[in-house]
Amino acid sequence: MDEKETIESYGQVELNNNSDNVNIRLVSIIGEIEGHDLSQNTVKTTKYEHILPELVKINEDKDIDGVLFVINTVGGDVSAGLAIAEMITSMTKPKVALVIGDSHSIGVPLAVAADYSFIVPSGTMIIHPVRLSGTVIGAPQTYDYFKLIEERIVGFITSHSNTSNEAVVEMMLKKGILTKDLGTILVGKEAVDKGLINEVGGLDKAMAHLKGIIKGNR
């Protein structure tokens, strides 16, 4: 598969023609995180069955020095999103995340999974309670199941960011910001102030930081 096909199929490209003599793989996480069920053909998706083996391949490729994750996602499948986030955080390659548009819902764990994270000034992050489509059975077990999923998400976020469990839960259950719903919208610097993202910045800062980690490791 040539570079054009790789970009079209997986949203990935190698950045190896630079004066710093480093080989960086760009991985984009965009649209909806697609899980075990297929999304509509009209929806832009990141397919977890594609990205998981690619991350393993990148991690084991001796010619790749680091990874830049560019994130613009509205969220999606919780299980698939957490699986991708866990894979990212366990990679041994230096990795930096850049939120360029949205990092909503399960996109929040994806944004904090890298070694260091940036968000552009107009970028947004949304934290809200877990939602499942389809019929919800009115039983105590349903509530317990939702609570377990939320605890997994909150635990991951707090383990890989500078915020607390209590702060994430408070943002998740906040009333009034999302119309007729619960949750919190954070824009740019607000995500940094809350401890979710490390720094406000764009591609220039993200690339410079990643190159700095790579050179430091050398």
Side-chain angles (χ1 to χ4, degrees), residues 64-77:
I64 296 178
D65 299 309
V67 192
L68 175 65
F69 291 95
V70 176
I71 301 173
N72 189 2
T73 177
V74 294
D77 188 283

Side-chain angles (χ1 to χ4, degrees), residues 32-208:
E32 181 179 315
I33 306 301
E34 187 178 272
H36 303 293
D37 297 322
L38 293 176
S39 299
Q40 300 177 20
N41 291 332
T42 56
V43 176
K44 291 284 187 181
T45 63
T46 295
K47 301 178 184 293
Y48 90 115
E49 73 269 26
H50 287 173
I51 196 168
L52 289 181
E54 276 297 311
L55 295 181
V56 176
K57 180 181 177 182
I58 291 170
N59 196 60
E60 297 303 307
D61 192 331
K62 61 181 178 60
D63 294 325
I64 296 178
D65 299 309
V67 192
L68 175 65
F69 291 95
V70 176
I71 301 173
N72 189 2
T73 177
V74 294
D77 188 283
V78 171
S79 178
L82 276 179
I84 297 170
E86 290 283 9
M87 185 71 81
I88 291 173
T89 197
S90 64
M91 295 175 72
T92 57
K93 300 283 186 182
K95 47 201 177 288
V96 167
L98 171 61
V99 178
I100 59 169
D102 303 322
S103 186
H104 296 175
S105 190
I106 200 61
V108 176
L110 291 169
V112 305
D115 300 324
Y116 201 85
S117 56
F118 291 87
I119 185 170
V120 296
S122 62
T124 63
M125 304 185 79
I126 293 181
I127 299 177
H128 61 68
V130 173
R131 306 181 182 93
L132 295 179
S133 60
T135 302
V136 177
I137 300 174
Q141 290 85 348
T142 303
Y143 171 79
D144 292 340
Y145 178 63
F146 272 54
K147 184 172 178 57
L148 177 61
I149 296 174
E150 289 180 355
E151 287 175 352
R152 291 167 60 200
I153 295 171
V154 172
F156 185 92
I157 293 172
T158 55
S159 296
H160 300 282
S161 67
N162 296 317
T163 191
S164 66
N165 186 291
E166 293 76 13
V168 175
V169 171
E170 181 182 355
M171 288 187 284
M172 184 179 284
L173 301 179
K174 190 168 186 178
K175 299 178 182 179
I177 295 181
L178 298 179
T179 304
K180 297 180 180 179
D181 204 347
L182 300 175
T184 299
I185 303 174
L186 302 172
V187 181
K189 189 175 182 297
E190 291 176 335
V192 178
D193 293 339
K194 291 293 185 180
L196 292 172
I197 298 296
N198 294 112
E199 192 173 336
V200 174
L203 179 61
D204 52 348
K205 286 190 174 182
M207 287 294 289

